[in-house]
Amino acid sequence: MNNSFVSSASSRREFLKASGTVLGASALAGVNLPHVHAAGSDQISVALVGCGGRGGGAAANAMSQSGPPKLVAMADVFQYRLDGAFNSLKNKFKDQVDVPDKRKFIGFDAYKGAIDSLKKGDVAIFTTPLAFRWVHFKYAIEKGINVFMEKPVTADGPTSRRMLELNKLAKAKNLKVGVGLMSRHKKCLQQLHARIHQDNEIGEVNLLRGYRMQGLLGSAFSERYPGKDKGLPGNPSELMWQISRFHSFLWASGGGYSDFNIHHIDHLCWLKSPPGKELWPVKAQGVGGRTSRISPDGKPYVDQNFDSYAVEYTFEDGAKMYMNGRTMLGAVPMYHSFVHGTKGMAQAAKSGDCNGPSSTFKGQTMSRENQLWTSDAKMADDPYFTEWQVLTEAIRNDKPHNEVDRGVMSSLVTSLGRYAAHTGQEVTLDEMLNHTHEFAPDADKLTFDSPAPVQADANGLYPVPEPGKKTKREY
Ligand SMILES: NC(=O)c1ccc[n+]([C@@H]2O[C@H](COP(=O)([O-])OP(=O)(O)OC[C@H]3O[C@@H](n4cnc5c(N)ncnc54)[C@H](O)[C@@H]3O)[C@@H](O)[C@H]2O)c1
C-alpha cells in the first residue's frame, strides 16, 4: 500500500484538495482512507473509462482497497481530462498508478484499449455519462472482465431492455459487477432497513418521500453552444460539448431528474422492499416546469431540463412514493428522504444522497419525545469505499455479486417519473420498459465527426418536453 496515502487525515485532505482542482468537485465524492489492509495477495488491476470527477474518485476507492489494486489503463474522449485525472492520481498513489502512455487511450473506442489491457479477474470502471454504459458493458462481457459502473445506467426503455439482456450474459460468465448506487452500502440505511422489515418498528410502509431541491446543479443549465475555437476547454465540437455538459441533454444522462434524483429513488424503493425482494412502483404521474430559464446575466438556458419536478409513484399495494426535485436559485434547499408506516415514520437520509444519522419515530411527527432510534452519528462509514470493498471481496472469494438488474430497475423507475412529468401522462413501469424511443441509438458508432444526437434550432435552442402537447415522447 502507498504509505503516503494511508498515513494521515491531513494527507487525505491534501489529496482531496489536489483532486478537487483537477478533477472537479465531484472528485470529492467517495474518496476514503483504507481502514482494512487484509493479507489478500491477489493483484487486481483496474482500468478507468471516463476520467472525470467520479472516475477519479472511483479509481481512488479501488486503489484504497486491500491488496492493493493498481490502475493500469485510462480512457477518455478528452486528452485534458485524462491528463488531469492521471496527474492527480499519480501524485497520491505513486506506483499503484502504472499507466504508461501506451495504456492511455483517447477517443470513442478508447474503452476497447483500456479493457484489453486487463486480465481475467480485473475490473473496468465505467464513469462516462450513461449514454455509453451499454456499449462499454457489452465489450467487457465479451472480454470476461468484471465491472464497476456508475449510476444511472440507462435513460430510456430500449437501453433498459438491452442492459437486462446483456446482464444475463454477464451472470452466465460469473462476472462481478458493482453499480454506483452507494446508498445500499451505507450502514445507517442498512440498519434502518432491518428496523423497518425485521423489527416492524414503523409498521407497514405506505408512504415514502425524497427531496433533492438545490440551486443550479452540475451541467444541468446550459447557455447556447458558442461554437468551436471559442476558448472552451478541449475546444469541443457540438457533440463533444453536449458530452461535457451531459446533465443538459436527455440522450447523454437522462437529464437532471435522472442523474440527481436516482439515489433517493433507489434507496426509498429498497426501504419499501422486504429482505430478498425488490419492489418497484408500478406507475407514476407527475408535474414539472421550466420557469427559471434565464441565466443571472440575462442569457437563455437552452438545455432540455425542467427546473422543478414533483412525481407521485404508486406501488402494487397502493403505497405512494413522492420525489421532489428542484434546481432553482433562491428557493428553499431540501435534501432528505423519509419513510412512513402505519405505526411511525423514519428519516432515511438526513442530508445528501444517503448521509445519516437515520432515525425512527412513533407516530408521524419527528420530535425528540417520539424518537425510537437513531443511528450512531459518529459512524463515519463511506459507502463509496464499501461498495468497492464488497466488489473486490466478491472477486477474491468468487462470491456472486451483480448489482446490474437493480441498477437498471432504479434507472428505469427514475426515467418513469421523468417521463410522466415531461409528458403530463400517467405511465406504467411496463410502458416505460417497452417504450420504443431510444435517445442515442448509435452511441456505439459515434466518432469525433458525428453530428450531436440532439440538434438545436436556428436560435440555438434544443427541443424540450411540453407536457400535454408531446405525450408519446419526451421531445
Ligand atoms: N454515485 C455518485 O454519487 C456519483 C457522483 C458523481 C457522478 N456520478 C456519475 O458518474 C458519471 C460521471 O460523472 P462525473 O461527474 O464524473 O462527470 P465528468 O464529466 O466529470 O466525467 C465524465 C468523464 O467521461 C468522459 N467521457 C465522456 N464520454 C466518454 C466516452 N464515450 N468514452 C470515454 N470517456 C468519455 C468525459 O470526457 C469526462 O472526463 C455519471 O454517470 C454520474 O451520474 C455518480
Side-chain angles (χ1 to χ4, degrees):
M1 168 56 64
N2 174 351
N3 288 328
S4 66
F5 182 69
V6 181
S7 58
S8 67
S10 73
S11 67
R12 176 174 186 264
R13 272 197 301 277
E14 276 160 31
F15 173 67
L16 294 178
K17 213 164 120 200
S19 58
T21 52
V22 180
L23 303 176
S26 50
L28 305 187
V31 181
N32 197 8
L33 286 174
H35 51 269
V36 189
H37 193 164
S41 58
D42 329 50
Q43 178 69 57
I44 293 175
S45 295
V46 299
L48 177 58
V49 181
C51 306
R54 185 78 263 278
N61 297 139
M63 286 188 281
S64 303
Q65 301 302 319
S66 65
K70 276 189 170 183
L71 178 65
V72 298
M74 298 173 80
D76 205 286
V77 286
F78 284 109
Q79 183 76 53
Y80 81 98
R81 306 255 14 207
L82 189 150
D83 292 345
F86 173 80
N87 291 335
S88 286
L89 292 165
K90 186 75 184 166
N91 191 26
K92 268 303 163 193
F93 289 91
K94 309 277 191 285
D95 291 347
Q96 272 179 268
V97 176
D98 177 19
V99 190
D101 286 351
K102 65 176 183 196
R103 288 202 296 272
K104 291 176 183 161
F105 303 92
I106 296 294
F108 284 91
D109 59 358
Y111 68 93
K112 291 187 177 169
I115 291 171
D116 289 345
S117 307
L118 299 175
K119 59 180 184 348
K120 210 171 172 338
D122 291 344
V123 186
I125 301 175
F126 298 152
T127 41
T128 68
L130 70 74
F132 305 102
R133 214 63 94 232
W134 69 266
V135 181
H136 298 169
F137 190 36
K138 185 164 180 268
Y139 192 70
I141 296 168
E142 275 166 35
K143 297 288 168 172
I145 295 297
N146 301 311
V147 169
F148 174 81
M149 66 176 83
E150 261 306 338
K151 50 50 65 171
V153 299
T154 63
D156 55 33
T159 52
S160 299
R161 299 196 297 275
R162 192 171 306 141
M163 281 293 273
L164 291 172
E165 280 306 309
L166 283 172
N167 199 37
K168 288 182 187 161
L169 300 174
K171 285 192 246 178
K173 285 196 167 185
N174 191 25
L175 298 180
K176 321 300 178 201
V177 192
V179 174
L181 288 163
M182 71 291 175
S183 300
R184 305 235 185 176
H185 297 281
K186 181 77 185 164
K187 297 223 166 23
C188 59
L189 292 185
Q190 291 173 344
Q191 290 172 352
L192 177 60
H193 190 273
R195 285 183 172 266
I196 291 173
H197 292 286
Q198 281 151 32
D199 306 340
N200 195 27
E201 201 156 281
I202 63 169
E204 196 76 18
V205 172
N206 50 22
L207 172 66
L208 306 111
R209 296 182 288 133
Y211 300 86
R212 183 153 187 189
M213 315 217 292
Q214 297 177 287
L216 311 187
L217 280 179
S219 55
F221 289 74
S222 286
E223 296 173 12
R224 289 184 185 103
Y225 169 56
K228 260 181 100 75
D229 302 318
K230 299 290 184 212
L232 291 182
N235 193 20
S237 65
E238 189 175 5
L239 166 66
M240 301 307 285
W241 175 76
Q242 289 187 6
I243 287 173
S244 65
R245 301 202 58 78
F246 62 94
H247 295 121
S248 282
F249 299 99
L250 293 176
W251 76 267
S253 64
Y257 186 88
S258 282
D259 200 272
F260 307 139
N261 299 333
I262 189 170
H263 290 296
H264 281 191
I265 290 169
D266 175 63
H267 75 231
L268 288 174
C269 290
W270 166 49
L271 289 168
K272 167 74 182 154
S273 307
K277 277 199 171 173
E278 296 282 353
L279 298 183
W280 306 104
V282 291
K283 63 178 182 178
Q285 59 98 14
V287 295
R290 291 162 62 88
T291 56
S292 300
R293 304 309 307 170
I294 302 291
S295 74
D297 54 353
K299 299 200 180 118
Y301 288 127
V302 303
D303 54 82
Q304 297 186 289
N305 291 303
F306 286 176
D307 45 46
S308 39
Y309 293 90
V311 173
E312 178 194 79
Y313 293 96
T314 305
F315 286 85
E316 185 94 64
D317 66 358
K320 301 286 185 188
M321 175 172 78
Y322 291 95
M323 184 70 222
N324 290 304
R326 183 167 63 201
T327 44
M328 195 180 285
L329 290 173
V332 166
M334 287 178 74
Y335 198 177
H336 334 274
S337 62
F338 304 94
V339 185
H340 298 262
T342 46
K343 295 197 302 187
M345 67 169 291
Q347 178 155 59
K350 182 158 194 222
S351 65
D353 292 326
C354 59
N355 296 332
S358 304
S359 309
T360 55
F361 303 86
K362 63 177 188 250
Q364 303 298 328
T365 309
M366 291 201 314
S367 63
R368 194 171 286 278
E369 311 81 73
N370 285 354
Q371 188 167 302
L372 298 168
W373 164 81
T374 189
S375 63
D376 182 357
K378 293 201 195 83
M379 188 164 58
D381 66 311
D382 179 349
Y384 294 96
F385 176 83
T386 312
E387 65 189 355
W388 270 93
Q389 198 174 29
V390 173
L391 175 61
T392 48
E393 278 173 12
I395 293 169
R396 291 203 170 105
N397 303 317
D398 195 18
K399 287 191 295 203
H401 181 65
N402 185 308
E403 300 180 323
V404 176
D405 289 346
R406 80 177 192 214
V408 173
M409 290 311 292
S410 281
S411 303
L412 183 70
V413 168
T414 308
S415 298
L416 170 69
R418 185 200 66 223
Y419 185 97
H422 280 173
T423 57
Q425 307 301 301
E426 182 176 272
V427 191
T428 67
L429 190 63
D430 253 20
E431 286 165 343
M432 188 71 218
L433 180 61
N434 291 306
H435 205 286
T436 53
H437 187 189
E438 182 168 354
F439 292 151
D442 293 328
D444 56 339
K445 298 183 191 71
L446 287 177
T447 68
F448 286 122
D449 300 324
S450 301
V454 63
Q455 295 286 316
D457 66 13
N459 296 318
L461 307 176
Y462 294 96
V464 293
E466 293 179 73
K469 280 194 190 162
K470 299 176 188 166
T471 59
K472 304 279 186 231
R473 290 163 56 112
E474 289 172 76
Y475 61 94

